[in-house]
Amino acid sequence: MNTTDEQYMRLALKLARKGLGRTSPNPMVGAVIVKDGRIIARGYHKSFGLDHAEVAALKSAKEDVAGATLYVSLEPCRHHGKTPPCTDAIIKAKIGRVVIAMLDPDPRMRGESVKLLRQKGIKTAIGVLEAEARALNEKYVKHRATGLPYVTLKWAQTLDGRIAAAGGSTTRISSPPSLKLAHKLRAVHDAILVGVNTVLKDDPQLTTRLVKGRNPLRIILDSRLRAPLDAKVLKDRDKAGTLVVTTPRAPAPKLAALKKTGVEVLTVPPDKAGRVDLKKLLEALGKRDVSSLLVEGGGEVITSFLRLGMADRLVVIIAPKILGKGTDSVGDLNITDLAKAYKLKFDKVYRSGEDIVVEGEGNKGNFLKEITQTK
């Protein structure tokens, strides 16, 4: 590793970020080709199904790339998917050296491309700006390494921790800029999840209408199918997909009526309380290639994810308001000892309009440090 390698890899990572919100279930990847100290090509994975970064860079080259160095933010793929293997294209182009930020945690990979490149006489270097590359694709890394989606909990509360007034008022707590922030979060997650109580109280759309970006799959937890058939999330499926998650306890007539509308229903085993088993749900979502999930609550749902230790990241919007009595943002976590408190690692604190936003890793936030070790 040297400062020159870091310089070009930093550019590759910057290019990769351009694919934010459009590449899933693939990762964001950027590539730069350098020859004789000059950048002769660059590319990134623009959207799922389109050329991967390496191929995009090779296609953009205006001169012969033989003997050049390719900088890529993730190990090139070796398997067939929507596109042919990038490793084959690199070998065919006679690239002389490949510098890789991190290995791919996909079970089909994990260094296999590096082995092939070395067998073909192509020099390789791994681990340049690896931490930055992992952070960029933390959602992809978790999904590929564990089979489960990366879970972000987001909620807005008053300074004293209330998400609604004692009278049940649904007046928005946060400022308009924070609402736009919430829509930006939706745009970079594969799916968004709320409980049926949120549907009953707020009748939300759960779309990204305030920002540019794709709408996430909308997931409604409804163990007994209480959501009305005319709810917005069930009617406007032309805007976004909807998945209603229920249990075998769901009344048969309501289930039949719901399916008749064309809404997809997923039946998941119940937990001990008779509600949707969230662990089983995450497993099912992972198998559907949902690599990231944004949980917007309400309080019962947020509490359930925290109690089970299933939050990888938290985004909490704190409004400069005090309610006193009201609905708590987080309920009972069965913690009676301060030493056993749900531990967080704050990495961002910033203003959003008149609000303060706190972001940090949850209990599962360290999984990135435990996997995808450099070979």
Side-chain angles (χ1 to χ4, degrees):
M1 187 187 303
N2 56 55
T3 54
T4 300
D5 284 346
E6 289 186 358
Q7 174 188 343
Y8 291 127
M9 187 60 74
R10 209 170 295 281
L11 175 57
L13 289 167
K14 185 177 180 180
L15 288 169
R17 187 170 290 279
K18 289 185 175 183
L20 182 65
R22 296 190 297 272
T23 64
S24 184
N26 286 346
M28 293 174 280
V29 184
V32 177
I33 300 177
V34 178
K35 189 173 185 178
D36 299 328
R38 298 177 295 111
I39 296 176
I40 62 173
R42 62 187 76 192
Y44 68 98
H45 186 31
K46 293 183 178 180
S47 181
F48 179 67
L50 298 184
D51 286 335
H52 289 187
E54 303 92 322
V55 173
L58 289 170
K59 286 183 177 180
S60 74
K62 302 301 182 183
E63 59 183 275
D64 187 7
V65 300
T69 297
L70 168 68
Y71 293 86
V72 61
S73 58
L74 183 73
E75 178 186 4
C77 66
R78 191 179 171 179
H79 52 275
H80 281 272
K82 289 282 185 180
T83 59
C86 293
T87 309
D88 292 352
I90 294 170
I91 295 170
K92 184 177 180 181
K94 298 182 180 180
I95 290 290
R97 178 174 179 250
V98 179
V99 181
I100 302 167
M102 63 173 285
L103 297 180
D104 192 331
D106 190 306
R108 296 168 293 182
M109 298 293 299
R110 296 182 179 175
E112 290 302 311
S113 289
V114 176
K115 292 178 184 177
L116 178 59
L117 291 172
R118 288 173 176 170
Q119 287 172 5
K120 297 296 182 178
I122 298 175
K123 297 178 182 179
T124 62
I126 311 167
V128 179
L129 301 185
E130 182 176 11
E132 290 88 337
R134 288 187 190 183
L136 176 66
N137 278 309
E138 58 187 353
K139 299 180 180 71
Y140 170 81
V141 171
K142 184 192 176 183
H143 180 242
R144 284 296 188 269
T146 68
L148 303 174
Y150 184 95
V151 177
T152 300
L153 300 189
K154 170 265 168 187
W155 72 84
Q157 65 174 47
T158 60
L159 185 61
D160 55 341
R162 306 288 187 256
I163 60 174
S169 171
T170 58
T171 301
R172 192 169 303 283
I173 287 176
S174 58
S175 63
S178 295
L179 178 59
K180 190 172 183 179
L181 169 64
H183 284 226
K184 287 181 179 178
L185 285 171
R186 293 174 184 179
V188 297
H189 285 78
D190 292 340
I192 178 173
L193 180 149
V194 299
V196 67
N197 286 333
T198 296
V199 175
L200 293 172
K201 292 178 182 177
D202 302 337
D203 194 19
Q205 292 179 262
L206 304 180
T207 60
T208 59
R209 60 194 179 277
L210 296 184
V211 299
K212 291 183 178 179
R214 64 173 183 173
N215 286 316
L217 171 68
R218 301 172 297 188
I219 301 174
I220 312 302
L221 294 182
D222 194 356
S223 58
R224 287 182 281 182
L225 296 182
R226 294 187 292 136
L229 296 179
D230 61 351
K232 291 177 182 176
V233 291
L234 302 181
K235 293 183 65 178
D236 61 359
R237 295 191 308 281
D238 58 317
K239 297 180 180 178
T242 300
L243 177 67
V244 176
V245 184
T246 190
T247 68
R249 298 174 56 194
K254 185 66 178 289
L255 180 61
L258 188 58
K259 289 184 175 181
K260 190 175 181 180
T261 67
V263 172
E264 185 179 6
V265 180
L266 175 65
T267 301
V268 174
D271 59 16
K272 294 180 180 179
R275 296 170 296 195
V276 171
D277 188 315
L278 295 180
K279 292 182 178 180
K280 296 292 183 183
L281 172 59
L282 291 187
E283 291 173 2
L285 293 177
K287 291 177 181 178
R288 289 171 171 242
D289 269 343
V290 173
S291 62
S292 58
L293 176 67
L294 177 65
V295 178
E296 286 200 1
E300 290 184 18
V301 174
I302 290 170
T303 301
S304 295
F305 272 89
L306 289 173
R307 187 183 296 126
L308 294 170
M310 297 193 304
D312 297 299
R313 188 165 190 80
L314 277 71
V315 179
V316 184
I317 299 169
I318 304 172
K321 302 172 183 177
I322 294 177
L323 275 174
K325 289 185 178 180
T327 302
D328 293 335
S329 56
V330 179
D332 185 9
L333 296 179
N334 297 323
I335 297 174
T336 57
D337 185 350
L338 186 59
K340 296 179 181 180
Y342 199 98
K343 294 180 175 61
L344 305 173
K345 180 182 177 182
F346 293 160
D347 51 36
K348 287 184 181 180
V349 179
Y350 55 95
R351 292 288 298 269
S352 175
E354 59 186 21
D355 307 323
I356 293 176
V357 182
V358 179
E359 295 191 28
E361 294 179 349
N363 275 351
K364 300 296 183 181
N366 290 325
F367 75 87
L368 285 170
K369 302 178 181 64
E370 300 165 0
I371 58 179
T372 322
Q373 296 300 311
T374 298
K375 294 184 181 180

